[in-house]
Amino acid sequence: MRGSATRLGLLALPVAFFAVFFAWPVAAIVARGLKTDGAWHPGRIADVLTQPDIRHVLWFTTWQALASTALTLLLALPAAHVFARLDFPGKQVLRAVVTVPFVLPTVVAGSAFLALVGHGGLLDRLWGVRLDTTVWAILLAHVFFNYAVVVRTVGGLWAQLDPRQEEAARMLGASPLQAWRKVTLPALAPAVAAAALMVFLFTFTSFGVVQILGGPTFSTIEVEIYRQTSEVFDLPTAAVLTLVQFVAVGAVLAVHAWTVRRRETALRLVAPNVTARRPRGAGQWALLAGVLGTVALLLVLPLAVLVRRSLDAPGLGYYRALADSDGGTFLVAPVHAVWTSLQYAVAATAIAVLIGGLAAAALARRGAGRLVRGFDALLMLPLGVSAVTVGFGFLIALDRPPLDLRQSWILVPLAQALVGAPFVVRTMLPVLRAVDGRLREAAAVLGASPWRAWREVDLPLVRRALLVAAGFAFAVSLGEFGATVFIARPDNPTLPVAVARLLSRPGDLNYGQAMALSTILMVVCAAALLLLERLRTDRTGEF
């Protein structure tokens, strides 16, 4: 009973947060779309789903998400091993570089990727090859965005696995591949499943990448919701597609939760600094070279295109123009968005770490009932629901007392925290579940309270995961665009919103300023992530 009471106490705040700031707004906009004069019209669901163009959208959304997830895992798992097991110069800088693409606004990064594979792009100039308006451009761009998800989620746990278990298998005659498949892979399965789930959800709801690279040929559910909402003004169709997302994402989360429960186990965790070694042998050096080459071609090159475009004007002209307000696009100078984004991101990170940390601590306890395990799956729904729906829902639901937040600055961090909290949960949960419960029991026998047992037993082991989670939440908050664009005040735009507004206006100056702001966003994110890497390294060598 004591354990159940503790779990429910930990879940109280996360449940209230997601009920008020996610379930309520989404339900409000769906209800508005499926009601006419106060009466429900469930027949609209069948009418929408039987349309041939909608069925094509559903099919393309599903198979491209599966293909993108598989390709991302194939290319990023070797990098997770390199970051977890190998030590080499520039490792912290490279880790920050790998994460930067994940926080870029999709509309900007999609444009940069188009410059590589589209008409007149690098591939076109060198070999006469164009990949724009093809599914390959979409798949590669999805890998570009989600590479860091696999590297950080899987690599975070991999770095703490005791390598002596795999070495023992080798001594018993297992080949390197057999030892990895029989010992390491089962231990990593929860983290791999969590990473695959996040990648699938991001690609399933892909918007900016498909909008820019897919052209009129390809459309995901997210793109179709945006089109039905902002262009066709067909809110009922958008509401039906939102419900389809709910069903699809819920099914995926249910399968994921069942798989993770079957693989739960206590792992022997060690300090990450103990597991990293300098590359030895031709195989490890070849693996490191392959990962570095992949990062350079797939991640660094598109970022370099953005930087180059921001420098096209002589004398840093685009950057200087950011300090001026034209009184049209912005009420303040565009550079003001940098400070605004940092403030919002810090607030959103604090909220996400609090909500996600409490939820992860509750879900990691043994003996959780079906209701608690179901909440584990529900925590991921904000990643699989249209950001357009969430943004409109905020405006519809949070517009009257006692929660009239339309004019409050906290509205933006709350929306950003909705996306950051699932990252906190998914990053911390595998490590918390891997902590041997007998350690907590021993502390309780010695008279420690639940709070002291957590502080003395769990916290030293999960501190690294907590810092990784905070870094993810901060990075996601910096780059969140879909919901923020609807609720950010004109006098306080975030960096992604400012970039989108500049791109929406014609002219070389506006485009150049957008590229300059994108470069600033990259630099700010890289600096924050590099600082996080140093803090994490300094403070995790103690346990």
Side-chain angles (χ1 to χ4, degrees):
M1 292 295 294
R2 182 180 179 182
S4 299
T6 301
R7 183 184 296 112
L8 292 177
L10 291 171
L11 281 176
L13 186 59
V15 169
F17 178 81
F18 279 93
V20 173
F21 298 111
F22 176 69
W24 184 21
V26 172
I29 192 170
V30 171
R32 180 166 295 191
L34 296 181
K35 277 186 175 182
T36 301
D37 297 328
W40 290 91
H41 293 276
R44 287 178 176 173
I45 298 178
D47 294 339
V48 172
L49 296 182
T50 54
Q51 298 176 19
D53 55 337
I54 296 297
R55 291 203 304 268
H56 176 74
V57 168
L58 298 178
W59 166 244
F60 175 74
T61 301
T62 302
W63 84 259
Q64 67 82 24
L66 292 171
S68 297
T69 302
L71 186 60
T72 303
L73 289 174
L74 178 65
L75 294 177
L77 281 177
H81 170 78
V82 165
F83 281 110
R85 293 300 196 214
L86 301 184
D87 187 23
F88 52 91
K91 180 178 178 179
Q92 294 179 2
V93 175
L94 185 64
R95 193 192 301 269
V97 169
V98 164
T99 309
V100 168
F102 182 72
V103 302
L104 287 178
T106 54
V107 64
V108 177
S111 298
F113 213 86
L114 184 62
L116 296 178
V117 301
H119 177 69
L122 183 62
L123 294 182
D124 191 15
R125 292 197 305 269
L126 293 179
W127 298 293
V129 176
R130 290 182 56 186
L131 297 178
D132 58 319
T133 67
T134 69
V135 71
W136 279 109
I138 295 173
L139 297 182
L140 291 176
H142 283 162
V143 176
F144 170 84
F145 280 109
N146 296 297
Y147 195 87
V149 175
V150 178
V151 170
R152 286 187 166 266
T153 304
V154 179
L157 180 59
W158 204 336
Q160 292 184 268
L161 293 181
D162 192 343
R164 291 175 293 183
Q165 299 180 38
E166 190 171 328
E167 294 170 0
R170 294 287 307 279
M171 292 180 63
L172 294 175
S175 66
L177 180 60
Q178 289 175 326
W180 182 82
R181 185 167 56 87
K182 297 292 186 180
V183 177
T184 304
L185 184 58
L188 290 175
V192 173
L197 174 66
M198 286 188 284
V199 173
F200 179 84
L201 291 180
F202 284 133
T203 53
F204 189 80
T205 59
S206 181
F207 173 66
V209 167
V210 180
Q211 183 82 346
I212 294 175
L213 298 176
T217 306
F218 303 107
S219 178
T220 59
I221 293 178
E222 184 82 358
V223 173
E224 192 64 21
I225 290 175
Y226 174 80
R227 190 179 73 85
Q228 295 292 338
T229 303
S230 63
E231 298 178 8
V232 184
F233 304 108
D234 188 352
L235 193 58
T237 298
V240 171
L241 292 177
T242 298
L243 290 176
V244 170
Q245 279 188 328
F246 264 117
V247 174
V249 171
V252 172
L253 294 176
V255 172
H256 171 263
W258 178 79
T259 303
V260 169
R261 286 198 305 272
R262 288 175 58 89
R263 294 180 177 271
E264 285 181 0
T265 183
L267 305 176
R268 181 180 299 173
L269 302 182
V270 298
N273 293 338
V274 175
T275 66
R277 295 286 186 271
R278 300 282 293 183
R280 291 176 293 182
Q284 290 189 351
W285 281 108
L287 178 62
L288 176 59
V291 169
L292 292 176
T294 301
V295 171
L297 291 177
L298 192 60
L299 306 183
V300 176
L301 195 56
L303 301 181
V305 170
L306 290 180
V307 176
R308 183 194 62 79
R309 287 184 174 181
S310 72
L311 298 174
D312 281 347
L316 301 177
Y318 293 144
Y319 288 91
R320 293 202 310 269
L322 294 177
D324 300 326
S325 175
D326 59 8
T329 306
F330 301 100
L331 299 180
V332 295
V335 73
H336 182 73
V338 177
W339 176 239
T340 301
S341 288
L342 290 176
Q343 290 178 304
Y344 285 156
V346 170
T349 300
I351 298 172
V353 169
L354 174 62
I355 299 299
L358 290 174
L363 296 171
R365 291 179 172 268
R366 303 292 178 180
R370 290 186 177 181
L371 185 61
V372 174
R373 292 196 299 266
F375 184 67
D376 182 12
L378 292 176
L379 287 171
M380 297 298 293
L381 281 178
L383 300 182
V385 174
S386 168
V388 174
T389 301
V390 174
F392 274 133
F394 265 50
L395 296 179
I396 292 174
L398 304 178
D399 63 343
R400 60 181 64 91
L403 282 177
D404 186 359
L405 302 178
R406 289 172 301 176
Q407 302 301 319
S408 175
W409 67 272
I410 197 64
L411 197 62
V412 173
L414 286 172
Q416 294 172 342
L418 276 174
V419 182
F423 280 97
V424 176
V425 175
R426 294 269 69 85
T427 303
M428 295 186 62
L429 196 53
V431 178
L432 283 170
R433 280 176 170 162
V435 176
D436 194 337
R438 292 172 297 181
L439 297 176
R440 300 191 193 99
E441 295 171 1
V445 169
L446 294 174
S449 64
W451 162 250
R452 185 175 180 183
W454 182 86
R455 180 166 53 88
E456 299 290 344
V457 176
D458 293 67
L459 183 58
L461 288 174
V462 304
R463 184 184 293 118
R464 182 174 189 270
L466 182 62
L467 288 171
V468 172
F472 255 133
F474 183 81
V476 169
S477 299
L478 277 178
E480 204 286 322
F481 171 71
T484 306
V485 69
F486 295 103
I487 56 180
R489 296 172 56 178
D491 57 341
N492 280 306
T494 63
L495 275 170
V497 172
V499 169
R501 290 179 183 174
L502 287 169
L503 286 175
S504 66
R505 301 186 68 187
D508 292 338
L509 178 61
N510 290 316
Y511 188 81
Q513 286 180 288
M515 296 301 102
L517 275 182
S518 300
T519 302
I520 292 174
L521 175 57
M522 287 191 294
V523 172
V524 171
C525 180
L529 294 173
L530 183 58
L531 176 62
L532 175 68
E533 291 297 322
R534 293 186 179 278
L535 291 175
R536 186 179 67 177
T537 302
D538 292 341
R539 296 184 179 182
T540 54
E542 305 167 0
F543 58 91

